[in-house]
Amino acid sequence: MQCEKSSADKVMRGPISKQRNKHIQQVLVEAARLAPRYSDELALLYERERQRGNGNRATLAVARKMVAWMLAVEKRNKDFVPAGEFKRTAAA
């Protein structure tokens, strides 16, 4: 889980987890560096966060989004379907 503190309109995010597996964290960050090349949604998130801060902060935002997706897939116990493919199959 991630730590989050907020004051007025400012939100400060802490590390993804204090109790972490360093190997999994390293793999997640490396995947987050590549993910914007393959996902338009993650590319937009990366660019928006990069405008607000630096590249490392943007990479962590992508990693957090990926973790949220993984947790949602696990919770629903269904396969992951990207948003673009979901819209195409729902319309068909």
Side-chain angles (χ1 to χ4, degrees):
M1 299 305 279
Q2 94 185 29
C3 174
E4 186 173 295
K5 299 174 188 172
S6 60
S7 174
D9 62 340
K10 189 172 186 179
V11 176
M12 296 157 282
R13 292 188 180 105
I16 292 176
S17 175
K18 289 283 188 178
Q19 300 173 342
R20 62 187 176 267
N21 180 318
K22 290 182 181 182
H23 178 70
I24 293 174
Q25 182 182 8
Q26 181 180 3
V27 170
L28 178 63
V29 169
E30 290 299 321
R33 287 185 182 150
L34 291 174
R37 296 180 189 176
Y38 300 100
S39 169
D40 293 336
E41 185 177 348
L42 293 177
L44 288 173
L45 174 65
Y46 180 83
E47 281 304 317
R48 185 174 62 235
E49 290 295 325
R50 203 177 95 171
Q51 295 297 322
R52 294 175 56 200
N54 60 23
N56 291 336
R57 181 173 292 168
T59 300
L60 286 178
V62 171
R64 284 188 183 96
K65 179 61 114 176
M66 291 171 56
V67 168
W69 285 350
M70 288 186 275
L71 290 174
V73 167
E74 179 66 25
K75 184 177 180 180
R76 292 183 184 134
N77 201 17
K78 294 186 178 180
D79 291 339
F80 176 74
V81 179
E85 291 180 23
F86 179 74
K87 290 176 186 173
R88 278 183 266 165
T89 58

